[in-house]
Amino acid sequence: MKTVWYFTLGISVLLILYFYGLTIGSQSLDISVVFNYFWSSEKLMDFELLTMQELRIPRVTVALLAGGALAVSGLQMQTLFRNPLAGPDVMGVNAGATLGVALAVMGASLFSTIFPSINDNLSSISYHSLTLATAGSLGSLFVLLLLFTVSWRLTDSVTLLILGLLFSYIISAIVSVLQFFSHPSFLKVFVVWTMGSTSGITSGQMPYLFISILLGLILSIVTIPAMNIMLLGDMYARTLGVNVKRTRVLVVLSTTLLSGTVTAFCGPISFLAIAVPHMCRLLLKTSQHQILLPATFLLGSLLLVISDIVTSSITSFSLPITTFTSLLGIPMLIWIIIKGRK
Amino acid sequence: MQKFVLLILIFIINSCSQQQKESITHSNIHTDTLKIEFAKGFKIIDKQEYTEIQIFDPWQGARGKVFSYKLNNDSLKAKSLQHFYKSPSRFVCMSTTHVALLTALDCRKSITAISGAKFVYDSVLSVMIKNGEIADAGYDQQLDLEKMFVLKPNAIFAFGINEKGNSWLQKAENLGIPVVWVADYLESHPLGKLEWIKVFGEFCNKREFANQYFDSVKQNYNVLKMKVNKQSNKMIISSLPYMGVWYISGKKSYLVQMIHDAGASYIGDNLDSHESIALNIEQVFVKGREADVWINTDMAKTRKEMLQTDERLQYFKAFISRNIYSNIKRMSKEGGNDYWESGITNPDKILNDFIEILSNDTTDIDKRLHFYKKIN
């Protein structure tokens, strides 16, 4: 009963914040404009219609979807690796996306140094926002597959975490080399990407993000029963008839689609993926994925929509969204660690 | 008694003013400060035995920092790190703008190394780099100190971004390699940037040449400025957004100064800054949609590439009317752009490009533009 109450409250607050978020921006829009957009758009002026359609709705909707997707990917990684500190940023998945984007953006500079004649074509490819998104997703998949392969041999969760960190360091070294050879213009694109933003996605790109997240969520829902059993260990799961190998592959695919695509489109957004699943466990006092999965999606969405509202309203300049999620996520993580120690 | 006190006061005031006059006269005998018209970052003072160059606050956020360099015609007297011999020889340039200033002075042969040498546009220098006559000094601000130690330059012309980032240059000084701060990039007037040619002129012992070059470009610039139709009322927008972030130049930047001199207004006229400011796309969208002309589309060379960066650009008036121009006409295959090189020594040509772009007659405009190119 308490769980139902939490969900009802969460959905209501999310809906209120979503509509409130649509009024927030460099130009303040009245809530009536937001409602008119959905129910009688002919009443809106051209400027209001365009602002809603091309700027506000993509921005706040992306925050809602991305927050939920990142939180679910964190939950899945924590279960898959049986590690409370697992998450796309800690395990190197975000670093993988960074590598993909860095290769797509700055690799052009490096290759054009070696092959000057292909410079023109490369520069145009590397600026394509969908190229960046694809490259980021592939980078995430690469790191996840690496981790996944290693996790067959190493079951110790601490060792896996260390490996994730080591992958991040290697990737960071490769990115530094790419930065060294990069043209300043490419470097600028890459640095802006690393800041993380929900306002860079256009209405035309929304379907790609939406389909990726939807597929990722479907896969995560499919694996719910198996994930519940896998919490008890692989051996136990096998004896209960769970196809552990298949489940792992599905979870890796789902995590790539969720966190990889979000990172590729929005840049690295820190700490939501680690903190939100823990918050949900503490609130709902359960480890059952059929409850945790929708709860993490809901809370993740809620927190990123709040972050978006705060970063869009406290300054007229472009404040990286990851600054606020870090400020929000790190104290929660410290609290979780201290509480765990007790 | 009152009269007596008054007399004493008059006497004291009078003697003080006499003393002041004497000290001014005294200093006039020994020093002569050169006339600097636009630049705010340096002073050139002729003293009896040497010329002193004072550089002020050479990086963003620097307050009250003064660097003093003495330049002497006698090589025997130039013995300390801050004491130079006036001669065109063995310079390291940490920026392509320094390269451009030396090139304008016809001092190419005095360049020993350049930071980011592969991005140099000048064809003569490119050949010299390929032949190994000019070395690559390192990456960005990070000097290859070992190479510097071998090359033994007479001076490294450096620029500073902030206090922390200057540690490499501090190390160079510790190794006995003289560093000269150049803050041309902080100047807010295009002629102020160019005026730094006078500093380089002193180091190359080409004062007359530097002054003549500056005066000639200044005259061209002012003639063009006078011709401008101030009533055009056109608004310019610049650069492209990435991930929803749009860097817009502040109203105190040299780019905005040139736009104003060309008779137009700028999207960032309300931003009280020397630097570019990261704005959210929504902020630019509101005002920028009405801009008449679009300039500096970074690496996007076509309208299609602009849309690939952000499809929302299709709603902008300048995009619809195809009034888009970028400073990419003179680029090397390696990515070096002459706009950032000889653009600093030819601000009159940039101003002329802006005037052409803003004119109502745009037929065959590409033929009339020097640094800019129409984006189709």
Side-chain angles (χ1 to χ4, degrees):
Chain A
M1 189 61 200
K2 205 175 175 184
T3 309
V4 175
W5 189 84
Y6 275 135
F7 271 104
T8 315
L9 181 73
I11 292 167
S12 312
V13 174
L14 182 62
L15 274 172
I16 293 165
L17 286 175
Y18 179 81
F19 286 108
Y20 176 66
L22 292 175
T23 66
I24 301 290
S26 64
Q27 296 284 307
S28 176
L29 286 184
D30 198 74
I31 193 75
S32 62
V33 173
V34 174
F35 286 116
N36 280 339
Y37 176 80
F38 288 105
W39 288 284
S40 49
S41 59
E42 68 281 352
K43 286 182 184 170
L44 296 181
M45 287 189 288
D46 172 50
F47 155 71
E48 291 168 334
L49 194 69
L50 214 54
T51 305
M52 284 297 292
Q53 181 187 306
E54 295 296 333
L55 300 162
R56 301 282 172 92
I57 291 195
R59 195 196 78 210
V60 188
T61 311
V62 165
L64 187 146
L65 291 174
L70 284 172
V72 170
S73 76
L75 173 73
Q76 285 183 302
M77 289 188 82
Q78 285 166 15
T79 307
L80 181 71
F81 295 109
R82 284 197 294 283
N83 191 319
L85 286 176
D89 32 7
V90 178
M91 304 295 279
V93 180
N94 281 358
T98 307
L99 177 68
V101 171
L103 275 172
V105 177
M106 297 185 294
S109 252
L110 182 64
F111 289 117
S112 65
T113 309
I114 307 164
F115 310 108
S117 56
I118 56 170
N119 186 30
D120 280 5
N121 298 329
L122 280 172
S123 69
S124 63
I125 291 167
S126 62
Y127 267 71
H128 200 306
S129 43
L130 279 179
T131 313
L132 300 191
T134 314
S137 302
L138 289 174
S140 299
L141 180 66
F142 170 70
V143 171
L144 260 174
L145 286 175
L146 262 179
L147 274 174
F148 180 59
T149 315
V150 177
S151 71
W152 280 107
R153 293 175 178 276
L154 298 168
T155 46
D156 180 34
S157 55
V158 178
T159 317
L160 264 178
L161 264 186
I162 293 168
L163 270 175
L165 284 173
L166 288 177
F167 287 149
S168 300
Y169 289 139
I170 293 168
I171 287 166
S172 144
I174 298 169
V175 171
S176 297
V177 172
L178 287 168
Q179 283 178 308
F180 184 88
F181 287 105
S182 177
H183 188 278
S185 300
F186 293 116
L187 203 59
K188 182 177 145 188
V189 174
F190 178 70
V191 170
V192 170
W193 177 84
T194 59
M195 289 176 184
S197 168
T198 52
S199 56
I201 296 175
T202 62
S203 55
Q205 292 169 339
M206 286 283 289
Y208 297 99
L209 185 74
F210 182 75
I211 290 167
S212 292
I213 291 175
L214 188 69
L215 283 174
L217 286 175
I218 290 170
L219 285 175
S220 61
I221 292 165
V222 167
T223 55
I224 282 176
M227 292 285 273
N228 279 338
I229 301 169
M230 278 175 75
L231 282 170
L232 305 166
D234 289 357
M235 288 289 283
Y236 192 82
R238 273 195 199 98
T239 54
L240 286 177
V242 173
N243 187 340
V244 175
K245 199 175 170 183
R246 184 176 147 269
T247 309
R248 283 186 166 196
V249 171
L250 290 178
V251 171
V252 166
L253 267 176
S254 164
T255 313
T256 307
L257 283 166
L258 293 171
S259 73
T261 316
V262 168
T263 310
F265 272 104
C266 306
I269 296 172
S270 311
F271 294 102
L272 273 185
I274 302 180
V276 172
H278 288 291
M279 289 166 71
C280 290
R281 283 189 200 100
L282 284 167
L283 268 173
L284 302 168
K285 304 214 178 337
T286 179
S287 54
Q288 293 298 301
H289 282 72
Q290 62 270 30
I291 296 168
L292 274 184
L293 199 133
T296 45
F297 187 88
L298 191 61
L299 192 58
S301 299
L302 205 61
L303 290 179
L304 203 58
V305 169
I306 292 171
S307 303
D308 175 69
I309 290 171
V310 173
T311 51
S312 301
S313 53
I314 58 171
T315 167
S316 56
F317 304 125
S318 187
L319 195 69
I321 200 161
T322 194
T323 51
F324 191 73
T325 55
S326 300
L327 284 172
L328 204 72
I330 293 170
M332 282 180 191
L333 212 60
I334 294 169
W335 178 61
I336 289 161
I337 292 167
I338 293 168
K339 203 173 158 65
R341 286 263 171 197
K342 280 179 183 172
Chain B
M1 184 61 191
Q2 273 182 336
K3 277 183 182 174
F4 180 71
V5 172
L6 198 68
L7 270 172
I8 289 172
L9 270 173
I10 289 167
F11 176 76
I12 291 168
I13 291 165
N14 193 39
S15 62
C16 281
S17 68
Q18 281 292 327
Q19 269 179 357
Q20 206 176 2
K21 273 180 195 169
E22 271 167 21
S23 74
I24 291 166
T25 319
H26 179 77
S27 68
N28 273 348
I29 292 165
H30 297 290
T31 66
D32 186 14
T33 305
L34 258 70
K35 187 184 164 195
I36 305 297
E37 294 172 67
F38 295 91
K40 288 175 180 152
F42 70 89
K43 242 185 201 180
I44 299 173
I45 307 154
D46 274 335
K47 295 197 172 172
Q48 252 183 352
E49 290 197 342
Y50 56 85
T51 302
E52 186 182 356
I53 297 179
Q54 290 177 357
I55 310 281
F56 311 110
D57 298 333
W59 55 83
Q60 279 164 11
R63 294 279 177 274
K65 298 258 180 198
V66 182
F67 293 86
S68 178
Y69 308 103
K70 291 168 185 169
L71 287 93
N72 217 300
N73 283 318
D74 184 353
S75 63
L76 294 172
K77 287 182 180 170
K79 281 181 179 169
S80 75
L81 272 184
Q82 275 76 41
H83 208 143
F84 298 84
Y85 171 43
K86 281 188 178 181
S87 151
S89 61
R90 310 189 66 73
F91 297 134
V92 173
C93 299
M94 295 305 285
S95 161
T96 48
T97 60
H98 310 161
V99 173
L101 290 164
L102 286 169
T103 305
L105 289 168
D106 199 18
C107 290
R108 286 188 186 89
K109 285 186 178 166
S110 63
I111 302 172
T112 308
I114 299 168
S115 170
K118 71 171 179 174
F119 296 126
V120 168
Y121 177 83
D122 185 86
S123 56
V124 179
L125 286 170
S126 296
V127 171
M128 288 168 80
I129 292 162
K130 272 177 195 153
N131 294 342
E133 292 167 57
I134 295 175
D136 198 330
Y139 171 67
D140 201 10
Q141 278 193 293
Q142 298 181 348
L143 265 176
D144 185 340
L145 286 172
E146 289 191 17
K147 202 181 268 179
M148 292 304 108
F149 213 62
V150 176
L151 290 170
K152 289 194 168 45
N154 289 350
I156 296 173
F157 291 118
F159 65 96
I161 297 293
N162 52 43
E163 191 104 46
K164 264 189 177 176
N166 303 333
S167 58
W168 284 88
L169 297 159
Q170 187 61 51
K171 264 189 185 176
E173 281 195 329
N174 292 346
L175 288 169
I177 305 166
V179 173
V180 177
W181 290 104
V182 181
D184 59 318
Y185 84 101
L186 292 175
E187 297 293 345
S188 54
H189 197 287
L191 291 173
K193 275 178 183 290
L194 172 64
E195 206 161 16
W196 279 80
I197 200 169
K198 292 178 180 176
V199 171
F200 285 81
E202 293 299 319
F203 278 90
C204 294
N205 205 10
K206 283 191 166 184
R207 178 182 286 185
E208 278 306 304
F209 192 104
N211 288 343
Q212 279 171 12
Y213 187 96
F214 176 77
D215 290 340
S216 152
V217 175
K218 185 185 81 179
Q219 197 188 344
N220 290 345
Y221 190 96
N222 287 334
V223 167
L224 285 167
K225 199 175 145 183
M226 295 289 281
K227 282 183 188 169
V228 165
N229 171 21
K230 296 278 181 194
Q231 305 304 315
S232 80
N233 248 347
K234 286 185 177 173
M235 184 166 73
I236 290 183
I237 187 172
S238 70
S239 77
L240 292 180
Y242 296 103
M243 298 280 294
V245 179
W246 205 319
Y247 281 90
I248 297 291
S249 301
K251 72 173 178 188
K252 290 176 183 167
S253 70
Y254 82 103
L255 176 79
V256 180
Q257 176 69 49
M258 273 197 277
I259 288 170
H260 289 164
D261 288 345
S265 61
Y266 180 64
I267 177 95
D269 276 347
N270 57 334
L271 301 173
D272 190 23
S273 168
H274 288 94
E275 299 112 39
S276 291
I277 297 198
L279 295 180
N280 192 292
I281 189 169
E282 189 177 323
Q283 247 183 309
V284 186
F285 197 84
V286 175
K287 197 175 163 190
R289 271 182 65 213
E290 298 308 317
D292 305 279
V293 179
W294 203 317
I295 59 163
N296 300 0
T297 55
D298 298 335
M299 297 295 275
K301 296 184 188 82
T302 60
R303 288 169 82 240
K304 194 181 163 195
E305 282 178 22
M306 285 172 73
L307 285 186
Q308 283 170 351
T309 309
D310 198 311
E311 68 199 44
R312 289 170 287 198
L313 304 183
Q314 64 182 297
Y315 300 110
F316 285 67
K317 184 178 156 189
F319 187 88
I320 297 162
S321 59
R322 294 171 180 263
N323 270 326
I324 312 164
Y325 300 87
S326 198
N327 51 1
I328 53 168
K329 190 171 184 183
R330 295 161 68 84
M331 281 189 78
S332 68
K333 279 185 176 172
E334 288 75 19
N337 190 340
D338 197 33
Y339 176 85
W340 302 113
E341 209 171 299
S342 79
I344 191 176
T345 49
N346 296 286
D348 51 335
K349 287 181 180 166
I350 300 179
L351 182 65
N352 192 52
D353 278 4
F354 283 167
I355 294 168
E356 291 288 353
I357 287 166
L358 290 162
S359 72
N360 294 325
D361 176 23
T362 54
T363 45
D364 282 337
I365 192 164
D366 271 338
K367 287 178 188 167
R368 283 176 276 147
L369 299 177
H370 186 78
F371 291 108
Y372 278 82
K373 188 183 167 186
K374 191 169 170 67
I375 299 293
N376 291 303

